[in-house]
């Protein structure tokens, strides 16, 4: 009897990460949930287990390389890694942006993804059929005013995915990048605007049906369950109301 394939999801405490964990668990993976908030991922692991699936919670800060390396020792073989941990801080112009915000976004989105991918790549390769998913953003592909720091970090993540794919071609590991546009989750915009819920709500004002975390999770679930020889290099997903990062239809 074949062992249950394992999927590691970073940033699984809320939003797209939590939704992806539920989706992959329902698809037959044993999901390993990582995030800094221990209570959140433990509650999610309990929810998934009570639904009849397999889940384990492991508190982890992806920017802590020593902790990531210790986490990786638990895996001899791994089917899927979903690099979801990341996020945005602030919406200031380049001229006045806080370098500390830029540094934190780069550390979380780029270095965090690098840390976990490097640490788990041997186990992904050992599986004979591994998949690395990098959750970037449409910000990884084009810029917009007030997004300089986040755009720079997501461009870095996009290039990481492209370069890794070139470097490991011929190995049994595929690299998938999923780049969502406007997604309304419970925390993304609120975190970006440091708890200002009014400012966060304006991001989605008048937009008919922004994407949900479940929409993106469904996309990830589809991509990782394609036949092994099929690689979804880059999948851009936006709501119908959004044509680009700067062109959104609003009814106000």
């Amino acid at each position: 009897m074949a062992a249950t394939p394992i999927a590691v999801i970073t940033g699984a405490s809320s939003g797209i990460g939590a939704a992806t964990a539920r989706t992959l668990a329902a698809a037959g993976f044993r999901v390993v949930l990582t995030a800094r908030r221990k209570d959140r991922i433990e509650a999610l692991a309990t929810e998934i287990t009570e639904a009849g699936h397999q889940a384990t919670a492991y508190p982890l800060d992806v920017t802590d390389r020593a902790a990531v390396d210790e986490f990786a020792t638990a895996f001899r073989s791994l089917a899927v890694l979903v690099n979801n941990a990341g996020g945005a801080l602030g919406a200031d112009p380049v001229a006045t942006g806080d370098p500390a915000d830029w540094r934190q976004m780069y550390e979380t989105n780029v270095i965090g993804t690098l840390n976990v991918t490097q640490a788990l790549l041997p186990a992904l390769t050992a599986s004979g059929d591994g998949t690395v998913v990098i959750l970037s953003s449409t910000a990884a592909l084009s810029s917009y005013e007030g997004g300089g720091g986040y755009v720079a970090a997501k461009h870095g993540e996009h290039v990481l995915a492209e370069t890794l794919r070139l470097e490991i071609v011929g190995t049994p590991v595929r690299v998938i990048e999923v780049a969502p546009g406007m997604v309304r989750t419970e925390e993304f915009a609120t975190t970006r605007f440091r708890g200002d819920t009014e400012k966060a709500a304006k991001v989605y004002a008048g937009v008919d049906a922004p994407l949900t975390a479940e929409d993106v999770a469904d996309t990830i679930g589809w991509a990782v369950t394609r036949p092994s020889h099929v690689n979804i290099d880059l999948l851009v997903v936006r709501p119908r109301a959004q044509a680009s990062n700067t062109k959104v239809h609003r009814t106000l």
Side-chain angles (χ1 to χ4, degrees):
M1 184 175 178
T4 303
I6 301 171
V8 169
I9 302 103
T10 70
S13 59
S14 66
I16 293 171
T20 299
R22 295 184 182 101
T23 296
L24 295 186
F29 291 90
R30 178 163 75 85
V31 293
V32 179
L33 319 175
T34 75
R36 290 174 297 177
R37 292 179 291 185
K38 182 174 182 284
D39 58 332
R40 291 283 195 96
I41 54 173
E42 287 182 343
L44 179 58
T46 298
E47 173 200 318
I48 290 171
T49 301
E50 289 178 348
H53 309 306
Q54 299 180 58
T56 304
Y58 191 105
L60 184 68
D61 179 350
V62 297
T63 67
D64 183 340
R65 184 55 187 257
V68 170
D69 286 342
E70 175 64 25
F71 168 68
T73 63
F75 304 95
R76 285 183 293 179
S77 179
L78 179 64
V80 175
L81 165 62
V82 180
N83 285 295
N84 168 72
L89 286 175
D92 300 314
V94 171
T96 57
D98 186 344
D101 288 346
W102 283 56
R103 187 173 294 109
Q104 185 173 336
M105 285 186 280
Y106 192 87
E107 285 286 339
T108 306
N109 290 280
V110 184
I111 303 302
T113 295
L114 177 67
N115 284 341
V116 181
T117 301
Q118 284 184 337
L120 292 177
L121 194 56
L124 288 156
T125 305
S127 74
D129 187 18
T131 300
V132 176
V133 177
I134 292 179
L135 193 77
S136 64
S137 165
T138 53
L141 309 173
S142 63
S143 192
Y144 58 92
E145 293 171 281
Y150 182 62
V151 167
K154 286 300 182 182
H155 270 67
E157 214 172 2
H158 169 66
V159 171
L160 189 162
E162 275 193 332
T163 307
L164 178 63
R165 191 180 300 115
L166 291 170
E167 291 172 345
I168 67 171
V169 67
T171 72
V173 179
R174 56 188 178 177
V175 180
I176 295 170
E177 180 182 356
V178 176
M182 181 180 284
V183 185
R184 184 168 197 166
T185 63
E186 66 269 30
E187 293 187 347
F188 181 85
T190 304
T191 299
R192 181 171 206 167
F193 296 113
R194 307 179 202 286
D196 188 331
T197 54
E198 185 177 343
K199 189 177 287 187
K202 288 180 180 177
V203 173
Y204 312 101
V207 179
D208 181 27
L211 296 178
T212 66
E214 289 71 26
D215 293 328
V216 180
D218 181 58
T219 299
I220 294 169
W222 174 81
V224 304
T225 55
R226 294 312 85 208
S228 298
H229 70 287
V230 177
N231 195 96
I232 309 301
D233 283 14
L234 172 61
L235 198 161
V236 176
V237 53
R238 291 188 175 101
R240 186 172 61 185
Q242 183 183 31
S244 76
N245 287 346
T246 56
K247 181 69 172 181
V248 179
H249 178 72
R250 300 177 189 270
T251 304
L252 298 172

